[in-house]
Amino acid sequence: MTGSVVQDVGLRGLYEQMLRIRHFEAKLDVLYRQGRVRGPAHLGIGQEAIAVGVASTLGPGDASLGTYRGHAHALARGADPEAVLRELLGREGGICGGKGGSMHITSVAHGYYGSYAIVGGHIPTAVGMAWASRIRRDGRVTACFFGDGTTNIGAFHEAVNLAAVWSLPVVFVCENNQYMEYTPIADVIPVARPAADRAPAYGLEPVVVDGNDVEAVRQTVARAVERARRGDGPTLLEATTYRLGGHSVADGAAYRDPDEVSAAWLRDPVVKAAQRLTETGDATAEETEALVARVKGEMDDLAVRVLEAPTPDAAAAWTGMWSDGSSTWRN
Amino acid sequence: MAQLTYREAVAGALAQEMARDERVVLLGEDVGSGGVFKTTAGLRDRFGTDRVWDTPISEQAIAGAAMGAAAAGLRPVAEIMFSDFYATCWDQVANEIAKACYMTGGQLRMPLVIRGTNGGGLGFGAQHSQAIENWAMCVPGIKIVSPSDPSDMWGLLAAAIRDDEPVLVFEHKALFGTKGEAPAGDHVVGLGEAAVRRTGDDVTLVGLARTVGMCLEAASTLADDGVSAEVLDLRTLVPLDAAAVLASVRRTGRVVIVEENPGQLGWGAGVAAIVAEEAFADLRAPVRRVSGGNVPLPVAAAMEAAVLPSADKVVAAVRDVLTPATVTSATGRG
């Protein structure tokens, strides 16, 4: 039986994880603007509570799959921030060996089976992992993140249908950040809620959670994970949030009403968790401020260290297409 | 000697591998009841519903589920009923499965097989008759298998299932009824080893799947005229046994490549380029391809036959390459 141990982590632990992810990405934003990041990067600033809340319900034997906006999905499972940053900055020792980049961060050692950049393309993959668990009865649960825009992709519907028909141990987590790239999701769906309102078509209960409340996410997902582990099938969860930045680091998101963005910053999940810690007496404001300063310093140091690292040998491009490390297609 | 059909060889290989390795599981549309082409007949009864899974008509879910199961350590064999339908799940095949190992620095492995019926000649029309190996050949990271006879159907499919990489196996639907010697015992044919089906000295005919039979028929006809043709069955396009092609062409000095897909960008173009680049000095005549026509496949028998390659077209092409003066005027219309 794998994956039966749910992480015992209090709000303070959840907050620290969110904070690290926030400042990892904030640092990345700066590095991008300095022209140091290879290729695009899609930040999930404002969405950290979902990745962290979901990860906190998974055991080491459980699996998760994320999206091209997936730094948080990987880091929350325990992926090494230095190996991730090395990948993002095109340095030796990158988590995918320099072959994946921001959109394909993967850390199988931590149960994180990849970040996928074709919208919705990975949902059938997650279902396949859950199918394997049903066949092997290994007790593993697979969580799959995707955005609101994905609910208009055929692969989403095929995969959710199959998971429901086969009653597979998978938790679908829709991060509804209100925007399908540059377009408001409301403009491109005929229902109010992109995932929840589609759930009944597959015989599933609509489940909506405040995606900016890490404890709420944790509690709701924990129930879905239990249900999956019991053999009672999938859950399609919609976590409501807001993408505080643009679609990618290259997008200034000028198409949004500034008042809407200002209001969203007031619901910042990281600040919200800090406030909750002070309310409950688990931490003082001074303590959380000191923690913020420390985490920022750690990220600054990390960036310096990674920027000093060498770039990978170009010859590595010709290796690793096959699992034995070779790439030969003919003799 | 016991005989079996190409169709029976599919189920035979699947049963052999399912009995050998419990990680081998099947999924696809109607596979439980034996399948539209009866290629999975008897497997659910023998191995049970935990090993043979009927899916909805959802090719993206089928191919993606195979990917996920492979990532989780199983050895899934998915069926795409007609290879034309790969177009509906090409994201899973070309973007996800083919790239997963490389893109993750080797963290993900894809020991999976996707089988599909392929090719024309039965009047199934433009959307159920294509030979699409060339689509896959554009994408590094997937192996491509196209057996030409029952023994190879069995042995190559078994090898594909044991292979640690993603393999697309194309079952030519016009060959399902063909008979051959039944394999004895554990039968596996290594991927990437072309087979010489007939030896000859004057010209090398390179075929794959159904065109191997056309090449053999053409070689018989040519023998009556005193022309000695060697017939090489590639068996797999990736890995490609280029060395076998080059060795044969260096000896005969002439090559006719016979492919079913449209010639405008067929796998034969890739093979022709290898010959031109690496054996040019040994060529006594220009490289010649006999390809499917550059139109969708029509249904009416005479029209479909006009578009597909045939033994007669191969004979004509060989006569051209044996007569240098006429070579430049002999290209087809398609």
Side-chain angles (χ1 to χ4, degrees):
Chain A
M1 195 81 171
T2 59
S4 56
V5 184
V6 172
Q7 292 176 49
D8 182 20
V9 56
L11 178 60
R12 190 173 177 130
L14 298 173
Y15 170 68
E16 282 199 30
Q17 279 194 51
M18 289 166 66
L19 200 60
R20 278 178 210 291
I21 292 167
R22 167 65 57 89
H23 290 289
F24 179 92
E25 288 209 308
K27 188 72 203 177
L28 186 63
D29 199 16
V30 172
L31 292 166
Y32 184 87
R33 288 170 209 294
Q34 292 171 346
R36 296 180 187 277
V37 178
R38 284 286 299 169
H42 305 78
L43 306 182
I45 289 178
Q47 305 180 198
E48 297 89 345
I50 304 171
V52 169
V54 170
S56 76
T57 68
L58 301 176
D62 290 324
S64 55
L65 294 83
T67 72
Y68 59 89
R69 196 182 305 289
H71 307 143
H73 301 147
L75 294 169
R77 289 305 306 277
D80 174 18
E82 177 159 342
V84 175
L85 194 61
R86 281 173 178 257
E87 186 72 24
L88 297 170
L89 303 189
R91 295 303 201 275
E92 204 176 86
I95 201 159
C96 297
K99 293 168 177 168
S102 168
M103 298 194 287
H104 302 297
I105 300 297
T106 301
S107 189
V108 169
H110 297 95
Y112 185 61
Y113 281 78
S115 306
Y116 295 83
I118 307 292
V119 170
H122 64 306
I123 307 184
T125 309
V127 167
M129 294 198 68
W131 174 51
S133 290
R134 183 173 158 192
I135 291 171
R136 295 198 295 210
R137 298 176 176 85
D138 59 12
R140 167 191 264 177
V141 172
T142 298
C144 181
F145 297 94
F146 52 91
D148 43 273
T150 307
T151 63
N152 286 335
I153 278 272
F156 163 79
H157 295 276
E158 289 193 15
V160 174
N161 180 66
L162 189 66
V165 169
W166 287 356
S167 194
L168 299 179
V170 56
V171 181
F172 299 109
V173 182
C174 175
E175 300 178 298
N176 179 4
N177 69 13
Q178 314 302 325
Y179 283 85
M180 177 220 90
E181 305 199 5
Y182 294 28
T183 303
I185 190 63
D187 291 359
V188 291
I189 53 172
V191 289
R193 303 174 301 179
D197 287 339
R198 266 72 174 258
Y202 304 107
L204 302 174
E205 292 295 322
V207 183
V208 180
V209 67
D210 177 359
N212 284 18
D213 181 339
V214 68
E215 290 179 297
V217 172
R218 176 173 158 85
Q219 284 156 16
T220 306
V221 176
R223 283 195 293 276
V225 168
E226 270 171 44
R227 173 186 154 86
R229 223 184 292 284
R230 274 201 311 270
D232 291 342
T235 298
L236 174 53
L237 173 77
E238 179 171 331
T240 311
T241 185
Y242 193 86
R243 191 190 72 207
L244 291 169
H247 167 63
S248 73
V249 279
D251 170 27
Y255 42 84
R256 300 196 300 201
D257 178 352
D259 291 342
E260 175 188 299
V261 180
S262 310
W265 275 104
L266 298 177
R267 301 190 301 273
D268 179 341
V270 181
V271 173
K272 214 164 149 173
Q275 285 167 347
R276 178 106 182 102
L277 278 174
T278 54
E279 280 164 23
T280 58
D282 288 321
T284 64
E286 291 72 27
E287 282 173 327
T288 57
E289 278 161 25
L291 186 61
V292 170
R294 199 178 80 215
V295 168
K296 277 184 179 173
E298 284 172 13
M299 295 305 159
D300 288 342
D301 293 347
L302 176 65
V304 168
R305 207 159 58 238
V306 171
L307 285 168
E308 284 169 355
T311 56
D313 184 355
W318 307 110
T319 66
M321 189 166 76
W322 308 124
S323 59
D324 66 1
S326 72
S327 300
T328 312
W329 76 279
R330 55 162 286 202
N331 58 11
Chain B
M1 192 61 82
Q3 298 274 298
L4 93 167
T5 63
Y6 187 91
R7 176 196 320 280
E8 289 162 347
V10 177
L14 291 170
Q16 172 183 294
E17 296 309 305
M18 292 176 81
R20 178 180 175 271
D21 185 346
E22 65 173 14
R23 295 172 300 175
V24 179
V25 291
L26 310 187
L27 79 163
E29 295 153 14
D30 305 323
V31 294
S33 53
V36 170
F37 289 94
K38 305 296 174 215
T39 46
T40 52
L43 296 174
R44 186 170 61 189
D45 287 346
R46 178 168 169 195
F47 294 100
T49 52
D50 252 14
R51 305 283 300 280
V52 181
W53 293 70
D54 274 331
T55 67
I57 302 173
S58 300
E59 279 81 11
Q60 297 187 66
I62 293 168
M67 174 177 174
L74 295 180
R75 289 186 172 258
V77 180
E79 178 176 312
I80 298 295
M81 192 182 289
F82 287 83
S83 64
D84 314 70
F85 306 167
Y86 273 109
T88 67
C89 58
W90 204 236
D91 172 47
Q92 271 69 34
V93 176
N95 286 326
E96 316 289 355
I97 290 168
K99 295 172 174 59
C101 180
Y102 185 87
M103 210 161 66
T104 63
Q107 294 183 67
L108 291 180
R109 298 186 170 197
M110 294 288 122
L112 64 86
V113 170
I114 308 181
R115 309 165 32 242
T117 67
N118 193 56
L122 301 179
F124 278 49
Q127 297 178 337
H128 292 71
S129 301
Q130 297 170 88
I132 64 130
E133 294 99 336
N134 60 327
W135 298 5
M137 209 175 177
C138 297
V139 184
I142 36 184
K143 296 188 177 180
I144 305 168
V145 173
S146 282
S148 67
D149 67 22
S151 173
D152 266 15
M153 181 70 252
W154 185 306
L156 291 169
L157 176 53
I161 293 169
R162 293 184 195 186
D163 202 273
D164 289 334
E165 316 306 333
V167 186
L168 305 191
V169 177
F170 294 97
E171 298 163 6
H172 201 296
K173 64 178 82 68
L175 297 179
F176 277 133
T178 59
K179 285 188 176 167
E181 200 176 295
D186 191 59
H187 180 53
V188 182
V189 175
L191 306 185
E193 296 169 24
V196 177
R197 300 299 185 191
R198 178 181 178 128
T199 54
D201 302 318
D202 298 327
V203 60
T204 301
L205 306 181
V206 179
L208 183 76
R210 192 183 183 212
T211 72
V212 173
M214 295 171 190
C215 292
L216 287 168
E217 192 185 332
S220 292
T221 304
L222 290 160
D224 296 340
D225 295 346
V227 175
S228 166
E230 179 147 300
V231 176
L232 197 63
D233 178 354
L234 287 179
R235 293 169 144 174
T236 67
L237 293 177
V238 178
L240 180 71
D241 193 353
V245 177
L246 292 166
S248 179
V249 173
R250 285 187 178 121
R251 206 162 41 70
T252 63
R254 300 179 184 89
V255 62
V256 175
I257 301 161
V258 189
E259 57 187 337
E260 186 169 326
N261 51 226
Q264 65 190 34
L265 192 60
W267 58 259
V271 174
I274 288 171
V275 172
E277 290 176 4
E278 299 174 35
F280 189 77
D282 298 301
L283 287 172
R284 296 155 69 188
V287 175
R288 185 65 196 268
R289 292 161 65 209
V290 174
S291 309
N294 297 312
V295 290
L297 269 184
V299 171
M303 288 165 67
E304 188 183 26
V307 173
L308 289 172
S310 65
D312 287 348
K313 292 179 186 179
V314 176
V315 169
V318 169
R319 292 200 169 122
D320 275 350
V321 298
L322 289 167
T323 317
T326 62
V327 164
T328 51
S329 63
T331 50
R333 227 197 333 248

